[in-house]
Amino acid sequence: MNDSTTTLDRPVADDALTRPFPGASPYDTYVHASVLNSLQQPLTEAPDEMGFLVTTQVMELWFTLIVHEWRTARVAFAKDELPAAMDALTRSRRALTALSGAWAPIAALTPAQFNGFRAAFGRASGFQSAMYRHMEFLLGDKNAGLLRAHSGDRAVHEALGETFREPSLYDEVLAHLHRQGRPVPAHVLERDVTRPYASDPGVVETWRQIYAGPQHHPHVALGELLTDVAELVARWRYEHVAVVRRAMGAKPGSAGSSGLAWLERRAARPVFPELWEARGAV
């Protein structure tokens, strides 16, 4: 059969696909793509600045999703709804994997390429991200000084303050384990949740008992899922260190921090520390 008309040239059978929209498309009304696509406003002619802007904006969206899932998990743990909590953690694990992959467009910036637009963003710095601060507070990495830094923006400061004063995701995990009969120490359950979480020998023992017990117990699966989350957070932090080291070396950070050294110190802090320590005792 000789038919010179390709499938792409033929009329669309369903004319609903080509019927004019009465206003914005339903897709744009729901996704707000036109708003998202209007937010990239480079300040220089440097060819790499657009990639830097898009990368950081995409990361902010992943932060938002991860915070949503961790809050969902925290509420479920408080209600002792373990399957719902683990579902939310599983979704956050996928988002964390995507978050680490988001570094790719700017992972190989050379110092000259980064310097092409670095001065344009002045004292702006990723550590000023309020949504990332919500992430760290939810992980138990509380810091009153970093909360105070946002006091100039009332709405942001109030929202962060709520996360700062609430139990972290891990606090709710430990409270759940206690209600399920696990020997979580009382002083851990009653601690000041506005203080940074620190490893406790009694919690190490709790996780040791879990890991030394039946391997198909739901609490072992919970421990492994939390370990996945902790590892993915650590990987993202180390990817951040690698990108900064490659693009600017040990220069001071744009906001006045020590830059690379500051990032390295923060990256070295373990998330959910007892989960890692307990493994050597099993």
Side-chain angles (χ1 to χ4, degrees), residues 111 186 196 216 234 256 273 279:
H216 294 290
R279 294 168 189 273

Side-chain angles (χ1 to χ4, degrees), residues 53-189:
L53 275 171
V54 170
T55 295
T56 52
Q57 289 172 350
V58 165
M59 285 188 180
E60 283 292 326
L61 293 174
W62 286 126
F63 294 162
T64 299
L65 177 56
I66 292 163
V67 166
H68 169 77
E69 299 296 4
W70 287 352
R71 284 175 171 158
T72 300
R74 185 179 62 179
V75 169
F77 280 121
K79 296 178 179 179
D80 293 324
E81 296 174 351
L82 183 59
M86 293 184 67
D87 283 348
L89 289 176
T90 298
R91 293 191 299 269
S92 81
R93 180 175 61 188
R94 299 187 193 112
L96 283 161
T97 299
L99 175 64
S100 288
W103 285 115
I106 62 171
L109 281 177
T110 67
Q113 289 169 337
F114 186 46
N115 287 341
F117 60 88
R118 186 189 184 204
F121 57 75
R123 294 184 62 81
S125 174
F127 94 88
Q128 298 163 353
S129 166
M131 197 54 66
Y132 182 68
R133 197 62 54 216
H134 280 287
M135 282 180 60
E136 292 209 321
F137 287 175
L138 280 164
L139 291 174
D141 193 356
K142 305 290 182 75
N143 186 307
L146 293 177
L147 169 62
R148 188 167 54 251
H150 291 275
S151 58
D153 188 326
R154 182 177 178 180
V156 168
H157 187 254
E158 288 180 354
L160 266 178
E162 289 183 15
T163 307
F164 180 78
R165 292 183 293 271
E166 292 169 343
S168 71
L169 169 63
Y170 194 51
D171 288 324
E172 292 293 6
V173 168
L174 297 179
H176 167 75
L177 291 176
H178 169 73
R179 291 190 295 272
Q180 301 304 305
R182 299 294 182 177
V184 180
H187 65 267
V188 173
L189 298 171

